[in-house]
């Protein structure tokens, strides 16, 4: 179906609407489990009740000027949700992209992973953004809730927070007056890829201690689409986790946490660095998190809390890529390319929170974190002469030199209230010193002739791709927010921000050559990005009607983009290098509405539009800007019987005149989804709840603009029946 015609037709059938909403978060009021120790009681949070830890002030969403979305584990259960990114498909300004079902990501108002700060329980997740992995190594079943801050309104996280913050917060135990032991078992199935997952969590605790242990397994085959099987899209994964807390004193808490993700034989059907015929997969991928927190609360009348934290996070990516090139009569045939990288991050943080009366809360802290990366790439090459295999070679390369990124800074966030709490003003600032260092790197390190049993350490043609060196980027960022409660139902918000982003290590030093038709180079001379942003919003809520309108603008100087730099435009191989634009501008709007027809029955609609262009030297479109989107539907909830939702999701076309260099145009599309869940069945100490649904009911064949430009993904998944059982004891 052609869209824009379809997009306009769908939009015309809905009473109100452009916008992407917080409907999912707002409708998550079902009470699932209310037993001590099982953190799924967080599922009862509504949009107005959620306390957002990411803004540091401990405020609820209604008292935060910034645009914030909180999605809970209940939201994940209602949807098929194989990854974290899938939970946000109805949320305003959040767009899903990726490389298949496993490797997914989200973009916030047109900005992707390298301009977002991703956190795991408040600890930074630092990994290469060329392939979408940062949100793929979280166990969706173990998520308590996810907080998303749109825009650069939260300067307290420093470099990289130009587009927003994603904080994935896991389930937790809690202290209780009397000892307890209980657990949670979740199992799910999806027909589109015969995917399944099983999750078990055990909780125990008492007045001064608690422990939570969890483990899960998930697996999926190749995905079925309306035009055939999406090859090389299967995956395997497992997770384990332990959280323990102890109170040495009444107002002191020591908390230890460990998370480990294992993923293996994960197909990568997309990937901009791959040739169309290549078959690539993660032989293994994994994430390890270890953290220690020590919190002291209620120290004095003014000093509300002191918080200390240290963490380590390690990520391993081991890729195998078969170029699938035709065998020559004479010459070289790459048969396997095997990039490998290790990312190690650690950080420490000390933070104080003060209350100066009932109307002033100040958070201030110091933070240091460091990321180090090491990598190698082996190319297995067959040499042919007159149609005969003459030799087998292994060419060893370094795609990225040993490098480190260290950031140290101080920050403060102040919340002030006036006019009997009708006017809330927030002001935040941060100053950092960012230090990047790298070793020397060559295009080739050695060539091993396996047939002859020889190794050449200095082969002909070896040269330095990146010289050893370093740089220091001092930076500062700031944000100011204003929330005015004009009436009991109407709020007006204004946010202003100044953001900063030092280039990532991959942007400075990468050398990606996977024996295909594209070579990607970093650029050590890249300037840091500087942004100025503004956000204006209106929120109206009554017992039956809700309306949320938001407009934003983000002006970025020296935005980093990748461009083709071939000497000859007729060259068969594309050489691409990162560089700074003069200036880029992103702007757009989001709107969501909902109306309760009768008790339990609600109509909702939402949509968003984002425009991103270089304003100098030429008005060209920025890459990966999502098309206009629309969500609409009807939901029903009766806690004694069931809840159900029937919705339509649509996206406008992205024609060739509105794409960046190298991007493919896409037509508009729409799809229909249905979800249903039962009430909670009680069996003594045990509870049972069932979830089911159908994604893409009409089996519509469509392409996601943000995914198809990644490589070989020619169609999104087709009709999918899913089922989930949640059992607590």
């Amino acid at each position: 179906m052609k869209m824009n015609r379809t997009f306009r037709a769908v939009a015309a059938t809905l009473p109100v609407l452009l916008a992407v909403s917080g409907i999912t978060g707002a409708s998550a009021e079902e009470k699932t489990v209310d037993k001590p120790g099982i953190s799924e009681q967080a599922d009862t949070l509504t949009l107005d009740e959620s306390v957002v830890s990411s803004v540091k002030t401990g405020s609820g969403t209604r008292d935060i000027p910034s645009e914030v979305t909180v999605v809970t584990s209940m939201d994940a259960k209602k949807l098929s949700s194989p990854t974290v990114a899938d939970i946000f498909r109805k949320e305003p300004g959040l767009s899903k992209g990726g490389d298949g079902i496993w490797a997914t990501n989200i973009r916030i108002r047109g900005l992707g992973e390298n301009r977002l700060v991703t956190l795991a329980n408040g600890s930074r997740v630092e990994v290469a953004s060329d392939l979408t992995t940062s949100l793929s190594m979280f166990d969706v079943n173990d998520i308590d809730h996810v907080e998303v801050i749109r825009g650069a309104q939260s300067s307290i996280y420093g470099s990289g927070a130009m587009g927003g913050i994603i904080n994935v917060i896991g389930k937790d135990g809690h202290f209780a007056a009397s000892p307890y032991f209980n657990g949670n078992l979740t199992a799910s199935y999806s027909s589109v890829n015969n995917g399944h997952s099983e999750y078990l969590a055990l909780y125990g605790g008492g007045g001064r201690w608690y422990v939570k242990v969890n483990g899960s397994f998930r697996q999926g085959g190749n995905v079925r689409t309306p035009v055939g099987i999406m090859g090389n899209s299967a995956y395997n994964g497992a997770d384990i986790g332990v959280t323990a807390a102890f109170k040495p004193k009444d107002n002191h808490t020591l908390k230890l946490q460990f998370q480990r993700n294992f993923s293996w034989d994960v197909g990568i059907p997309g990937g901009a660095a791959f040739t169309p015929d290549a078959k690539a997969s993660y032989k293994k991928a994994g994430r390890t998190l270890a953290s220690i927190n020590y919190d002291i609360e209620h120290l004095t009348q003014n000093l509300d809390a002191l918080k200390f934290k240290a963490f380590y996070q390690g990520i391993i990516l081991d890729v195998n890529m078969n170029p699938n090139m035709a065998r020559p009569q004479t010459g070289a045939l790459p048969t396997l390319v095997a990039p490998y990288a290790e990312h190690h991050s650690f950080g420490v943080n000390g933070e104080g929170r003060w209350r100066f009366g009932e109307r002033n809360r100040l958070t201030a802290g110091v933070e240091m974190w460091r990321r180090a990366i090491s990598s190698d790439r082996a190319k297995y090459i067959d040499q042919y002469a007159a149609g005969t295999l003459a030799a087998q070679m292994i060419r060893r390369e370094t795609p990225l030199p040993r490098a480190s990124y260290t950031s140290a800074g101080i920050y403060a966030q102040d919340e002030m209230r006036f006019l009997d709490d009708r006017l809330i003003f927030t002001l935040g600032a941060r100053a950092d010193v960012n230090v990047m260092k790298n070793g020397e790197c060559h295009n080739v390190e050695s060539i091993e002739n396996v047939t002859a049993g020889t190794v050449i350490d200095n082969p002909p043609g070896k040269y330095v791709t990146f010289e050893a060196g370093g740089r220091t980027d001092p930076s500062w960022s700031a944000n100011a927010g204003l929330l005015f409660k004009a009436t009991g139902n109407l709020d007006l918000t204004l946010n202003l921000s100044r953001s900063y982003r030092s280039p990532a290590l991959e942007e400075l030093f990468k050398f990606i050559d996977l024996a295909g038709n594209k070579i990607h180079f970093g650029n050590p001379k890249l300037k840091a990005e500087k942004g100025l942003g503004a956000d204006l919003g209106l929120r109206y809520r009554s017992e039956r009607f809700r309306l949320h309108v938001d407009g934003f603008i983000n002006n970025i100087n020296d935005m980093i983009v990748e461009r083709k730099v071939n000497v000859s435009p007729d060259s068969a191989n594309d050489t691409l290098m990162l560089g700074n634009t003069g200036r880029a501008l992103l702007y757009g709007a989001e709107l969501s509405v909902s109306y309760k027809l009768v008790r339990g029955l609600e109509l909702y609609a939402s949509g968003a539009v984002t425009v991103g262009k270089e304003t100098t030297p030429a008005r060209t479109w920025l890459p990966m800007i999502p098309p206009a989107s629309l969500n609409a539907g009807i939901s029903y909830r009766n806690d004694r019987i069931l809840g159900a939702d029937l919705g339509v999701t649509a996206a406008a076309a992205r024609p060739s005149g509105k794409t960046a260099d190298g991007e493919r145009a896409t037509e508009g599309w729409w799809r229909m989804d249905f979800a249903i869940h039962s009430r909670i069945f009680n069996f003594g100490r045990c509870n049972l709840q069932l979830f089911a649904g159908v994604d893409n009911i009409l089996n519509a064949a469509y392409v996601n603009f943000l995914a198809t430009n990644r490589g070989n993904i020619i169609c999104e998944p087709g009709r999918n029946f899913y089922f989930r059982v949640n059992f607590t004891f």
Side-chain angles (χ1 to χ4, degrees):
M1 299 174 196
K2 292 231 178 220
M3 196 142 198
N4 293 326
R5 184 186 311 156
T6 304
F7 185 80
R8 289 194 298 267
V10 173
T13 64
L14 305 166
V16 264
L17 332 155
L18 248 188
V20 169
S21 80
I23 296 297
T24 304
S27 62
E29 298 175 4
E30 294 86 342
K31 190 170 184 65
T32 57
V33 178
D34 192 14
K35 288 191 172 185
I38 297 183
S39 64
E40 297 199 29
Q41 53 194 295
D43 292 341
T44 63
L45 290 175
T46 66
L47 184 64
D48 291 339
E49 296 169 347
S50 303
V51 175
V52 182
S53 62
S54 300
V55 297
K56 300 285 190 181
T57 58
S59 298
T61 49
R62 189 172 180 183
D63 289 340
I64 298 173
S66 303
E67 291 305 307
V68 178
T69 292
V70 178
V71 294
T72 70
S73 58
M74 172 59 89
D75 299 311
K77 292 186 186 77
K78 290 178 182 177
L79 306 173
S80 53
S81 304
T83 68
V84 173
D86 294 278
I87 307 174
F88 298 104
R89 70 187 190 197
K90 294 184 178 181
E91 299 299 333
L94 310 182
S95 308
K96 176 187 169 185
D99 304 317
I101 277 193
W102 183 88
T104 57
N105 66 357
I106 66 170
R107 299 181 72 82
I108 300 179
R109 294 175 171 176
L111 296 178
E113 287 179 280
N114 55 354
R115 295 180 180 88
L116 309 176
V117 170
T118 302
L119 306 168
N121 293 324
S123 302
R124 289 182 77 113
V125 179
E126 293 289 329
V127 67
S129 58
D130 288 310
L131 295 176
T132 51
T133 56
S134 63
L135 291 178
S136 304
M137 291 182 281
F138 288 93
D139 183 1
V140 176
N141 293 303
D142 195 49
I143 291 173
D144 184 85
H145 64 283
V146 185
E147 300 171 356
V148 178
I149 301 176
R150 295 173 188 76
Q153 285 82 24
S154 188
S155 66
I156 51 179
Y157 291 97
S159 178
M162 303 193 82
I165 309 292
I166 304 170
N167 192 5
V168 183
I169 299 172
K171 294 179 180 178
D172 202 357
H174 73 277
F175 301 106
S178 57
Y180 66 86
F181 172 79
N182 46 45
N184 171 216
L185 176 64
T186 303
S188 63
Y189 172 79
S190 293
S191 67
V192 75
N193 63 342
N194 289 321
H196 61 90
S197 70
E198 295 78 36
Y199 167 83
L200 174 65
L202 301 175
Y203 303 82
R208 289 193 174 273
W209 66 277
Y210 69 78
V211 175
K212 175 215 161 199
V213 180
N214 64 277
S216 68
F217 174 77
R218 57 187 180 274
Q219 186 177 58
N222 286 335
V223 176
R224 287 187 288 273
T225 78
V227 299
I229 299 295
M230 183 190 296
N232 195 38
S233 56
Y235 61 87
N236 301 273
D239 295 85
I240 59 173
V242 179
T243 302
F246 172 67
K247 279 184 173 290
K249 296 182 179 180
D250 287 343
N251 61 333
H252 291 233
T253 303
L254 172 66
K255 184 175 179 180
L256 305 172
Q257 185 176 53
F258 175 81
Q259 293 178 353
R260 181 73 169 96
N261 165 266
F262 312 82
S263 298
W264 66 95
D265 296 334
V266 176
I268 313 174
F274 304 145
T275 59
D277 296 324
K279 181 178 180 180
S281 63
Y282 290 106
K283 182 180 176 181
K284 62 180 180 179
R287 181 181 69 90
T288 301
L289 169 67
S291 66
I292 178 170
N293 295 62
Y294 196 89
D295 297 348
I296 310 172
E297 298 181 334
H298 312 304
L299 285 89
T300 68
Q301 182 177 356
N302 298 120
L303 183 54
D304 198 44
L306 286 176
K307 297 177 177 290
F308 304 95
K309 179 173 189 173
F311 75 90
Y312 163 79
Q313 195 142 218
I315 295 177
I316 294 176
L317 299 176
D318 187 359
V319 178
N320 277 1
M321 195 273 283
N322 186 336
N324 285 326
M325 300 173 69
R327 193 179 84 176
Q329 281 292 309
T330 300
L333 174 66
T335 59
L336 178 67
V337 182
Y340 177 86
E342 294 185 6
H343 308 259
H344 300 278
S345 302
F346 71 87
V348 292
N349 174 258
E351 183 177 282
R353 299 185 179 184
W354 290 264
R355 287 180 180 265
F356 301 105
E358 292 297 320
R359 293 192 169 92
N360 192 307
R361 289 185 287 187
L362 172 67
T363 299
V366 296
E367 181 181 35
M368 187 280 289
W369 60 272
R370 182 178 187 271
R371 175 194 176 199
I373 183 172
S374 60
S375 66
D376 62 69
R377 181 170 60 228
K379 288 182 179 176
Y380 295 79
I381 302 170
D382 290 347
Q383 290 281 356
Y384 286 87
T388 302
L389 180 63
Q392 292 183 310
M393 321 286 286
I394 302 177
R395 177 185 171 102
R396 302 193 183 280
E397 304 170 342
T398 305
L400 199 79
R402 286 186 175 272
S404 65
Y405 184 117
T406 304
S407 179
I410 58 174
Y411 62 86
Q413 182 98 342
D414 193 23
E415 178 187 276
M416 295 161 280
R417 296 172 178 247
F418 307 96
L419 303 178
D420 294 328
D421 291 347
R422 291 180 58 196
L423 183 66
I424 300 175
F425 179 65
T426 60
L427 184 64
R430 177 167 177 143
D432 291 278
V433 175
N434 307 301
V435 179
M436 288 139 279
K437 295 182 179 179
N438 68 285
E440 187 175 273
C441 184
H442 306 91
N443 64 321
V444 56
E445 301 299 336
S446 66
I447 295 180
E448 178 183 356
N449 188 322
V450 179
T451 305
T454 60
V455 177
I456 304 174
D457 290 323
N458 290 291
K462 179 177 180 178
Y463 61 86
V464 175
T465 51
F466 299 105
E467 296 180 350
R471 60 186 280 178
T472 300
D473 287 343
S475 69
W476 68 274
S477 52
N479 63 272
L482 191 66
L483 170 63
F484 178 55
K485 298 181 179 182
T487 68
N489 297 328
L490 178 65
D491 298 344
L492 302 175
T493 62
L494 172 65
N495 290 281
L496 304 173
S497 62
R498 196 272 186 183
S499 56
Y500 185 97
R501 186 179 79 90
S502 295
L505 295 177
E506 289 79 9
E507 293 172 322
L508 294 169
F509 308 120
K510 72 178 176 182
F511 167 50
I512 299 179
D513 179 6
L514 301 180
N517 57 4
K518 290 185 179 181
I519 301 175
H520 302 258
F521 275 104
N523 183 352
K525 297 181 180 179
L526 287 173
K527 301 176 184 177
E529 297 178 341
K530 283 81 67 179
L532 293 174
D535 186 295
L536 185 64
L538 178 150
R539 308 170 188 170
Y540 179 84
R541 62 183 62 77
S542 65
E543 184 178 348
R544 301 184 67 177
F545 179 70
R546 291 192 178 204
L547 171 68
H548 191 163
V549 184
D550 195 71
F552 65 91
I553 186 168
N554 196 353
N555 183 80
I556 301 177
N557 284 322
D558 297 319
M559 189 171 187
I560 298 170
V561 297
E562 190 174 58
R563 286 196 174 90
K564 187 174 177 179
V565 293
N566 291 27
V567 175
S568 170
D570 299 324
S571 172
N573 296 324
D574 286 342
T575 299
L576 300 104
M577 179 176 287
L578 290 160
N580 295 100
T581 66
R583 184 175 298 170
L585 186 68
L586 294 98
Y587 58 92
E590 302 155 358
L591 180 150
S592 63
V593 294
S594 65
Y595 180 72
K596 291 183 180 180
L597 297 172
V598 294
R599 181 179 176 84
L601 188 63
E602 183 177 70
L603 292 174
Y604 64 85
S606 63
V609 60
T610 300
V611 177
K613 290 186 175 183
E614 296 180 33
T615 56
T616 59
R619 293 187 60 83
T620 57
W621 278 77
L622 294 173
M624 305 294 281
I625 299 298
S629 61
L630 176 69
N631 264 291
I634 184 169
S635 66
Y636 174 76
R637 193 188 82 243
N638 186 324
D639 293 339
R640 297 180 180 179
I641 306 174
L642 55 79
D645 185 284
L646 178 64
V648 172
T649 302
R654 177 64 79 197
S656 57
K658 295 184 178 181
T659 60
D661 184 34
E663 291 186 326
R664 290 178 291 174
T666 56
E667 295 184 350
W669 56 268
W670 67 277
R671 56 176 267 187
M672 185 178 295
D673 306 304
F674 176 71
I676 188 170
H677 63 273
S678 74
R679 71 176 180 88
I680 297 173
F681 300 98
N682 298 305
F683 305 97
R685 287 179 49 83
C686 302
N687 293 319
L688 175 69
Q689 191 169 23
L690 307 177
F691 301 81
V694 187
D695 293 332
N696 197 2
I697 296 173
L698 302 179
N699 202 34
Y702 69 97
V703 291
N704 176 359
F705 176 77
L706 297 181
T708 53
N709 284 281
R710 294 288 300 168
N712 307 328
I713 302 173
I714 60 173
C715 189
E716 291 298 300
R719 185 184 298 113
N720 175 42
F721 296 91
Y722 64 90
F723 182 76
R724 180 173 288 107
V725 178
N726 188 55
F727 180 71
T728 59
F729 56 92

